[in-house]
Amino acid sequence: AVVSTQSTGVKKNDFEDAFVETGTELFTEYKTEANDATPDLDEVKVVGVNVAQFTFECCGVDTGSSWWGNRNGAAVFAPGCCSNFDSQTFENSIQAGLTQEKMLITQCPDDGEVFQVGCQEQANALANAFSTVIIIVVAVLIAFEILCLVAACVSKKRDLVA
């Protein structure tokens, strides 16, 4: 039998790769359907793409709002790219049926801002931020363990001297 010496733990790159692969596939499916005259995409996927963009404050896969393209000479993007996206209002509007105009818009309502960072870039930044936090937590735990060892040694030494 061959024994593998490779670690089986999850790495930061695994998270990034899975997010990029799955996200790109889902976003591309959304984009394709949104450009169809009669969009036909599961409501959960439609809401998921938009809520993900709003939650992570990103737009499109890798080039921000420009990833979505143009329609009739005007730049379009998913509603979830807006800083003031309201998922409940959006869900209510698509229950009556999907249309190109509901799936891709040309401007955010009520002076909302369009997120300019792509979701792939945002996922990478998130993974990097979490890895920094993990390193800090591990360093603090190690320092705490060392302090506990020192305290235990000092306490034991006092017991032996007395």
Side-chain angles (χ1 to χ4, degrees):
V2 176
V3 177
S4 173
T5 57
Q6 258 186 327
S7 170
T8 58
V10 177
K11 299 179 186 114
K12 181 180 78 166
N13 289 347
D14 295 341
F15 164 77
E16 290 174 13
D17 293 346
F19 182 87
V20 169
E21 183 180 329
T22 305
T24 301
E25 188 178 299
L26 181 59
F27 278 51
T28 301
E29 184 179 6
Y30 183 105
K31 183 178 180 180
T32 301
E33 287 297 324
N35 286 307
D36 192 324
T38 55
D40 182 28
L41 187 61
D42 185 281
E43 187 178 309
V44 172
K45 291 180 179 181
V46 173
V47 172
V49 166
N50 285 285
V51 169
Q53 290 176 115
F54 177 70
T55 301
F56 292 109
E57 297 182 357
C58 60
C59 190
V61 173
D62 55 12
T63 55
S65 60
S66 64
W67 184 83
W68 293 104
N70 295 296
R71 183 183 300 134
N72 301 327
V76 292
F77 48 87
C81 293
C82 295
S83 61
N84 59 349
F85 174 70
D86 181 346
S87 62
Q88 191 61 55
T89 301
F90 180 71
E91 281 185 64
N92 292 341
S93 77
I94 65 172
Q95 284 178 352
L98 286 176
T99 64
Q100 291 177 324
E101 292 74 22
K102 290 178 185 176
M103 292 180 74
L104 294 176
I105 59 176
T106 57
Q107 66 182 33
C108 295
D110 303 323
D111 298 325
E113 298 291 322
V114 180
F115 301 127
Q116 296 301 320
V117 177
C119 293
Q120 181 176 340
E121 184 181 341
Q122 197 74 324
N124 291 343
L126 184 64
N128 288 334
F130 275 124
S131 64
T132 302
V133 168
I134 290 170
I135 290 169
I136 291 170
V137 168
V138 168
V140 167
L141 287 173
I142 290 171
F144 179 72
E145 287 294 325
I146 291 171
L147 286 173
C148 288
L149 284 172
V150 169
C153 288
V154 168
S155 174
K156 188 68 171 173
K157 186 176 179 183
R158 286 187 182 154
D159 287 347
L160 291 175
V161 172

